[in-house]
């Protein structure tokens, strides 16, 4: 991996441990089931950020992994209440497959997200999702956190754009979004490489 990027905000977390939230964990891990999560933490009046990786093969497993990471953070910072751990970023590893999205599609998605999140608003989230026909859409919502934006996508995407979307990335209209995106792409290279080898079972 390259040297650590210069970050404006205080971050914690790494890709050394991936929490397997699947109901029936197996040795084989699909790239499609790996999620990078970015959290906003409020502790003793100060703001910091944290990121983690989980393995989840359905929405319930995703929620299980999210709750487990929130609880682990509460153990790390005993003065912080669970309600002060909020998901503000999410990115699924499948978007890094060379043949999953074309370069042009990725550029168009980034452009659409940038247009929707053109000014800071901590309660404005853009969600990139993919439909069963493999078409891509970007929808945005006013929401308290990224989890609410994911729920709203699952509930309302059919009405908004005529198709049910599987959320693959959530971005917040906040400068830290760029830092989480940088950390995701840096760590995703390592996770992806490990999962593409015969030793992938040693990742978690």
């Amino acid at each position: 991996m390259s040297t650590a990027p210069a970050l404006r905000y205080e971050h914690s977390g790494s890709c050394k441990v991936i929490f397997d939230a699947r109901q029936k964990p197996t040795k084989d891990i699909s790239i499609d089931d790996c999620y990078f999560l970015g959290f906003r933490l409020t502790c003793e009046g100060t703001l910091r950020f944290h990121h983690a990786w989980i393995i989840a093969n359905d929405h319930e497993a995703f929620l299980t992994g999210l709750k487990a990471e929130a609880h682990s953070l509460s153990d790390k910072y005993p003065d912080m209440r669970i309600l002060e751990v909020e998901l503000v970023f999410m990115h699924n590893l499948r978007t890094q497959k060379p043949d999953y999205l074309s370069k042009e599609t990725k550029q168009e998605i980034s452009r659409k997200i940038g247009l929707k999140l053109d000014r800071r608003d901590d309660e404005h989230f853009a969600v990139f999702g993919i439909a069963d026909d493999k078409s891509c859409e970007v929808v945005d919502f006013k929401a308290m956190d990224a989890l609410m934006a994911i729920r709203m996508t699952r509930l309302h995407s059919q009405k908004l754009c005529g198709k049910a979307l599987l959320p693959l990335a959530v971005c917040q209209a906040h400068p830290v979004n760029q830092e989480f995106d940088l950390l995701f792409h840096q760590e995703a290279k390592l996770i992806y490489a490990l999962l593409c080898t015969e030793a992938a079972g040693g990742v978690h």
Side-chain angles (χ1 to χ4, degrees):
M1 292 178 66
S2 59
T3 57
L7 302 175
R8 171 184 174 186
Y9 297 96
E10 181 179 351
H11 288 262
S12 61
S14 74
C15 59
K16 294 180 180 179
V17 177
I18 302 180
F19 178 74
D20 194 340
R22 296 174 296 178
Q23 186 174 6
K24 296 181 179 179
T26 62
K27 183 177 180 180
D28 296 327
I29 301 172
S30 170
I31 286 170
D32 293 2
D33 297 340
C34 295
Y35 291 85
F36 176 98
L37 307 178
F39 297 89
R40 176 178 59 209
L41 285 61
T42 304
C43 183
E44 297 181 327
T46 62
L47 193 66
R48 67 185 73 189
F49 297 91
H50 177 81
H51 67 275
W53 288 84
I54 65 169
I55 303 168
N57 55 355
D58 56 36
H59 187 60
E60 288 305 313
F62 179 85
L63 295 178
T64 297
L66 188 66
K67 291 177 182 177
E69 189 62 27
H71 279 289
S72 73
L73 287 169
S74 293
D75 293 337
K76 184 176 181 180
Y77 303 105
D79 294 328
M80 181 174 57
R81 298 191 306 273
I82 285 290
L83 292 177
E84 295 172 316
V85 179
E86 300 161 297
L87 185 70
V88 294
F89 185 90
M90 181 275 280
H91 207 130
N92 183 274
L93 187 60
R94 79 178 68 187
T95 62
Q96 302 308 292
K97 291 180 180 178
D99 58 348
Y100 191 72
L101 298 172
S102 68
K103 181 179 179 181
E104 292 74 21
T105 298
K106 289 182 179 180
Q107 290 175 340
E108 181 63 11
I109 291 167
S110 295
R111 187 188 71 83
K112 288 182 177 180
I113 290 174
L115 288 173
K116 290 183 180 296
L117 306 181
D118 60 343
R119 58 182 178 179
R120 178 169 176 175
D121 182 346
D122 291 8
E123 295 184 2
H124 188 190
F125 290 84
V127 182
F128 157 55
I130 193 163
D132 288 340
D133 62 2
K134 304 303 180 185
S135 60
C136 302
E137 299 287 346
V138 176
V139 293
D140 63 314
F141 301 97
K142 293 287 288 185
M144 292 299 296
D145 56 26
L147 179 58
M148 182 180 290
I150 290 171
R151 287 171 173 161
M152 293 175 76
T153 301
R154 290 168 59 87
L155 287 171
H156 303 301
S157 59
Q158 184 76 50
K159 181 178 179 180
L160 289 173
C161 55
K163 57 194 74 175
L165 298 177
L166 172 66
L168 296 183
V170 184
C171 303
Q172 183 189 31
H174 185 286
V176 78
N177 181 76
Q178 294 180 336
E179 298 187 2
F180 275 132
D181 190 62
L182 184 65
L183 289 166
F184 164 73
H185 282 93
Q186 184 182 54
E187 296 187 3
K189 292 178 182 178
L190 178 60
I191 298 294
Y192 192 94
L194 289 173
L195 291 179
C196 290
T197 66
E198 293 182 357
V203 176
H204 65 295

